[in-house]
Amino acid sequence: MSATETAFDRMPPFDAEAEEAVIGALMVDIGWPLLPQVSAKVRAKDFFREKHGWIFDAIIAVWESGGEPNEIMVAHELASRDQLEAAGGRAFLSDVIRHCPTALGAPFYADIVARDACYRRLITASNQISQMAYQHPEDIATVLSRARDLIDGIASKLGGATYQSGAEVLNGGLMDRLERFIADPRALAGEPTGWSDLDLIIDGWQPGFVYVIAGETSIGKS
């Protein structure tokens, strides 16, 4: 960044190739089964270029209606919304399909689009926080609370809040579990696994936990 360039002069983070790869991958038959996985990662508004968002939204609409979101069906959906020409027409749809590296990479491309969308939201949030700090220098509690809400709102789109307070953790059931343990150390035992040695380590299957069992190769894990 030059001495005269500021953050406000720079383009927001986005990857046009990744955006095109997402929509291109989802318009070929080996990419269609990945649509639920991709749609769980990104939304139309996550695309920086508006026409990419339109196309993604049209793909989802065709899929949800029970159709196959190929080039023809997506073009028809865009035309019904008077967006086909503005989105680049059939020629653009053909280009993004042809230039897509591999349709099987759709979830990976979607991760890039989601990441850049998150960065853009963080930039917007940081600008809002700066403005609040300038406008309300005497009300730090309000500024901090609103700043937290902004950041947590962004984090929630990635699958969860950034943190929990001690009160939130305790109110979430931890205190009840501790009290039961004090009264009876075996009260927190979960469902038996069927292997007594393993039960001694993990105290049985516990609700809300994910267990991963791994082993070296060639040692037999059946």
Side-chain angles (χ1 to χ4, degrees):
M1 185 184 299
S2 67
T4 57
E5 183 182 11
T6 69
F8 298 101
D9 299 319
R10 303 170 67 186
M11 284 290 291
F14 78 102
D15 190 321
E17 291 183 348
E19 293 189 357
E20 292 181 4
V22 170
I23 56 181
L26 298 179
M27 286 191 288
V28 296
D29 54 2
I30 62 173
W32 299 338
L34 298 172
L35 232 166
Q37 186 178 348
V38 172
S39 63
K41 295 174 178 286
V42 294
R43 298 289 186 271
K45 63 182 179 182
D46 292 330
F47 291 80
F48 179 73
R49 291 188 171 167
E50 188 176 30
K51 67 177 183 179
H52 294 162
W54 293 344
I55 296 170
F56 181 79
D57 204 30
I59 291 171
I60 297 298
V62 172
W63 175 261
E64 290 181 342
S65 68
E68 298 179 346
N70 54 42
E71 177 186 336
I72 295 175
M73 295 296 291
V74 173
H76 178 77
E77 178 65 25
L78 287 168
S80 71
R81 305 178 180 198
D82 294 325
Q83 294 176 333
L84 179 59
E85 294 307 314
R90 285 281 301 274
F92 181 73
L93 299 183
S94 297
D95 282 343
V96 296
I97 293 173
R98 185 169 61 253
H99 293 142
C100 178
T102 169
L104 295 178
F108 172 74
Y109 313 140
D111 283 336
I112 297 174
V113 174
R115 177 203 66 192
D116 287 344
C118 182
Y119 284 146
R120 293 195 300 273
R121 293 186 183 103
L122 283 172
I123 291 171
T124 299
S126 68
N127 292 337
Q128 293 174 336
I129 293 170
S130 295
Q131 290 299 315
M132 288 189 294
Y134 279 117
Q135 294 170 4
H136 306 285
E138 76 291 345
D139 191 4
I140 185 64
T142 298
V143 172
L144 287 173
S145 177
R146 293 181 63 187
R148 173 182 170 176
D149 289 343
L150 285 170
I151 298 301
D152 277 349
I154 296 170
S156 67
K157 294 180 174 59
L158 296 177
T162 53
Y163 52 84
Q164 285 183 297
S165 67
E168 289 171 333
V169 173
L170 292 175
N171 291 335
L174 179 59
M175 183 61 75
D176 289 340
R177 288 173 61 83
L178 289 174
E179 290 176 349
R180 292 201 307 273
F181 178 76
I182 292 171
D184 178 6
R186 296 301 302 167
L188 297 186
E191 292 292 327
T193 65
W195 293 281
S196 57
D197 289 344
L198 181 60
D199 285 336
L200 290 174
I201 297 173
I202 67 173
D203 220 7
W205 300 123
Q206 297 286 341
F209 285 77
V210 175
Y211 298 91
V212 178
I213 300 175
E216 296 291 339
T217 58
S218 303
I219 64 173
K221 296 183 283 294
S222 60

